[in-house]
Amino acid sequence: MWKSLCLLWIVWCSVPQCLPAGDYFQIRVIDAETKRGIPLVELETVNQILYVTDSNGIAAVNEPGLINQEVYFRIRSHGYEYHADGFGYRGKKLQVTPGGKAVLKMKRVNLAERLYRVTGGGIYRDSLLTGEPVPLQKPLLNAQVLGSDSVQNALFRGRVYWFWGDTNRPSYPLGNFQVPGAVSDLPDKGGLPIERGVNLDYFVDESGFAKKTCEMPGAGPTWIDALVTLKDTSGQERLFAKYVKVKAPLTVYERGLVEFNADKNQFEKRKVFDFDAPLYPVGHPVRYEMAGTEYILFGLSYPLIRVPAIPTALADLSEYATYSYLKPGSGNEDWTVERDTQGALAYAWRKHVPPLNTDLERKLVQQGKIAAEEAYSLFRDIETKQVVQIHNSSVAWNAYRNKWTMIASQKDGTSMLGEIWYAEADSPLGPWKWGRKIVTHERYSFYNPKQHPLFARENGRLIYFEGTYTTLFSGNKVKTLRYDYNQIMYRLDLSDPRLDAKQFMQ
């Protein structure tokens, strides 16, 4: 009897305690095309009371003074629009009643569809308040995580391992600055279907907060990227990442290699890299075979750095090369451009030179060493033909298109870091010449996008990616309730006629 009562108490405590669902008026905002609920829709009353839909597209309204009233809600959301009335207002008047419901449809302007928030508190808050079912095991607060920066993930020993940057908690303004982490099961191995969400099982400390998995010695935060799984000579899988130590105001002063110890759920230092070396692991890795050898490609804007896909090579910077036309040994900031006998840029795998990027090639153009139209980083908008400067990208093979696909963030677009582009090429080395914008934000950032080939569906027709939604670098001082500084998942349907493959091969 006592055990049964204890069990009932545990179950009761695990259920969110809130007002009865009948006390709330439910507004559900759906995509007019897919009929799926839209997360991150802002509903604002005439007197500036703001509601934001949860990952089911639901907002729960229970405002004293507005119950049993006709209430006008302005409706807005990044990449979606609600039709305007004769005065130009985009919104809807609703009769707000306890237990009542309303469904609003928005037109999607984005090509990609926003699915749900991956991290943070209150992911399904409003659904629970209104009595709706939710897919997550911990839909309100998981490992005390309120917000996390920049995701890295990799398949390791049959499960998906996830790691993030700086992470907020409820109990104090300073949180985890030493890499929190979690695991999840693949959708076909007990995990949720990716279109519904990800059940994250965090590594936690004694307080229940997401633990520090990569606390390297030295002042300031530790960040990781270039997370990659490799097999050693015995066939054993091992998980590695590059770490950096950072001091104010965002200055990296040390970088090296760490390896994850799955028994301790902890990264361990393996190597401190020469800080002046021009080539090292960075960004999201891509596996690629060349001339019978498997390599890992790295890069921030483009994956132009390669290293053999073995642990010993990963730790040895002398093994790294980059696909470039710059001549080694020609001098820092005064590079010599190598050309073939026909005068064309002589691309080859070269060591001891930095990877090509927009800023470097801009200097080469200014110095008269290359013509502007010769630059590798001439990524253009399919519609306007204007050059788009890529900030970060994530590249993966796509069987549906039989191409390599890129999901990339733009620097200095219509928002500083909030625009996401799609492109494809015959090789992960490109050329990446044409792209189409698939996600837009109004004065908000959505940076460090990560494509998830692990979760692609229907032979790659449906691809999934996420990024960090934050006011950082945007100039916007108004942070979105619950969503700011968190990861949001999107889906892109490659059968969309606006993504006709012929466009990318102009």
Side-chain angles (χ1 to χ4, degrees):
M1 178 67 177
W2 176 247
K3 289 183 178 179
S4 298
L5 289 173
C6 288
L7 180 60
L8 286 172
W9 172 256
I10 292 170
V11 171
W12 184 86
C13 288
S14 68
V15 175
Q17 305 304 307
C18 51
L19 293 174
D23 288 349
Y24 290 90
F25 179 71
Q26 182 193 97
I27 303 175
R28 183 179 177 89
V29 187
I30 64 172
D31 186 314
E33 179 183 354
T34 67
K35 305 302 185 290
R36 182 187 174 106
I38 307 171
L40 190 55
V41 177
E42 296 184 347
L43 303 161
E44 186 177 18
T45 67
V46 174
N47 61 334
Q48 292 81 50
I49 299 172
L50 183 66
Y51 300 90
V52 183
T53 60
D54 69 6
S55 285
N56 268 336
I58 290 174
V61 179
N62 187 347
E63 179 63 30
L66 296 185
I67 300 299
N68 296 316
Q69 298 287 331
E70 286 189 331
V71 179
Y72 183 86
F73 293 89
R74 291 186 176 89
I75 306 168
R76 58 181 179 266
S77 187
H78 302 289
Y80 294 77
E81 65 180 21
Y82 196 79
H83 61 81
D85 64 17
F87 293 99
Y89 292 115
R90 297 182 183 272
K92 180 72 172 178
K93 180 170 60 178
L94 301 172
Q95 181 69 35
V96 175
T97 58
K101 296 183 179 182
V103 177
L104 304 174
K105 296 180 181 179
M106 295 189 78
K107 176 184 176 182
R108 177 156 43 93
V109 179
N110 284 342
L111 269 71
E113 181 184 9
R114 189 181 307 127
L115 296 182
Y116 50 81
R117 183 153 51 91
V118 184
T119 59
I123 294 176
Y124 285 100
R125 168 189 180 272
D126 295 71
S127 295
L128 291 167
L129 289 174
T130 56
E132 295 291 334
V134 300
L136 295 185
Q137 294 172 355
K138 296 180 180 179
L140 292 181
L141 190 64
N142 192 352
Q144 301 176 23
V145 170
L146 292 185
S148 291
D149 195 7
S150 298
V151 71
Q152 295 279 321
N153 74 343
L155 183 63
F156 177 57
R157 299 182 183 178
R159 304 188 77 190
V160 185
Y161 279 69
W162 307 74
F163 299 95
W164 297 269
D166 302 344
T167 292
N168 296 331
R169 60 180 174 177
S171 62
Y172 196 70
L174 298 179
N176 183 343
F177 296 90
Q178 313 289 341
V179 191
V183 294
S184 70
D185 292 316
L186 287 166
D188 60 352
K189 297 289 180 63
L192 281 175
I194 191 61
E195 64 271 15
R196 297 185 63 202
V198 181
N199 273 319
L200 295 170
D201 183 9
Y202 280 89
F203 311 127
V204 297
D205 61 21
E206 61 279 0
S207 72
F209 180 44
K211 67 173 284 189
K212 302 173 181 179
T213 71
C214 192
E215 189 170 14
M216 294 295 109
T222 307
W223 298 341
I224 67 166
D225 65 345
L227 185 73
V228 63
T229 303
L230 298 177
K231 288 185 178 180
D232 60 23
T233 54
S234 68
Q236 181 75 19
E237 280 192 343
R238 298 166 65 182
L239 185 61
F240 297 92
K242 183 203 73 187
Y243 80 90
V244 296
K245 293 297 297 183
V246 186
K247 61 183 178 182
L250 293 182
T251 302
V252 174
Y253 67 89
E254 180 181 296
R255 66 175 65 95
L257 187 70
V258 289
E259 181 176 359
F260 191 71
N261 184 327
D263 295 326
K264 299 179 179 179
N265 292 327
Q266 200 78 37
F267 280 101
E268 298 171 346
K269 185 184 292 188
R270 292 290 178 259
K271 186 77 173 284
V272 176
F273 290 146
D274 176 3
F275 195 76
D276 295 324
L279 299 175
Y280 45 84
V282 66
H284 298 297
V286 184
R287 291 182 180 273
Y288 188 50
E289 185 175 310
M290 288 174 273
T293 298
E294 186 179 37
Y295 292 93
I296 303 297
L297 303 183
F298 294 105
L300 287 177
S301 50
Y302 303 98
L304 296 178
I305 303 168
R306 81 175 188 185
V307 67
I310 53 177
T312 52
L314 188 71
D316 184 357
L317 294 188
S318 69
E319 294 278 359
Y320 286 69
T322 187
Y323 191 61
S324 177
Y325 50 77
L326 297 180
K327 189 175 180 180
S330 52
N332 190 28
E333 302 298 326
D334 186 25
W335 301 103
T336 297
V337 171
E338 190 162 352
R339 297 180 180 273
D340 62 21
T341 56
Q342 315 308 311
L345 296 175
Y347 282 90
W349 288 103
R350 304 173 185 273
K351 297 185 177 183
H352 313 302
V353 297
L356 298 173
N357 60 52
T358 301
D359 292 337
L360 188 155
E361 290 195 304
R362 186 183 293 120
K363 291 179 182 178
L364 294 174
V365 171
Q366 292 170 350
Q367 294 168 358
K369 295 181 178 180
I370 65 171
E373 60 271 17
E374 289 184 298
Y376 175 90
S377 51
L378 276 184
F379 184 100
R380 295 182 185 273
D381 182 343
I382 282 175
E383 293 186 339
T384 69
K385 316 306 179 189
Q386 295 296 309
V387 174
V388 175
Q389 184 174 350
I390 298 303
H391 181 251
N392 281 55
S393 75
S394 180
V395 171
W397 172 252
N398 185 272
Y400 179 77
R401 297 298 272 250
N402 198 31
K403 298 285 184 183
W404 292 88
T405 56
M406 172 185 282
I407 300 294
S409 61
Q410 180 184 5
K411 182 180 179 182
D412 296 327
T414 51
S415 62
M416 184 177 175
L417 286 175
E419 312 308 301
I420 301 297
W421 294 74
Y422 171 84
E424 56 188 49
D426 291 327
S427 162
L429 305 176
W432 301 98
K433 292 300 183 184
W434 298 100
R436 182 175 287 281
K437 187 187 291 190
I438 57 173
V439 175
T440 187
H441 292 86
E442 183 179 352
R443 293 192 68 212
Y444 229 94
S445 294
F446 188 76
Y447 57 57
N448 294 344
K450 175 64 170 70
Q451 187 176 175
H452 295 306
L454 281 174
F455 302 130
R457 291 291 175 265
E458 298 185 23
N459 197 38
R461 181 178 72 84
L462 300 174
I463 63 175
Y464 295 80
F465 64 93
E466 65 180 279
T468 304
Y469 177 80
T470 175
T471 55
L472 288 174
F473 315 113
S474 71
N476 191 342
K477 301 298 183 185
V478 181
K479 298 182 178 182
T480 306
L481 186 70
R482 298 186 183 87
Y483 279 86
D484 188 74
Y485 209 53
N486 270 300
Q487 307 302 305
I488 299 178
M489 187 73 78
Y490 279 83
R491 173 172 60 192
L492 183 66
D493 184 347
L494 295 185
S495 68
D496 190 312
R498 293 169 292 182
L499 295 172
D500 184 357
K502 294 179 182 177
Q503 300 176 82
F504 301 99
M505 306 308 293
Q506 298 180 47

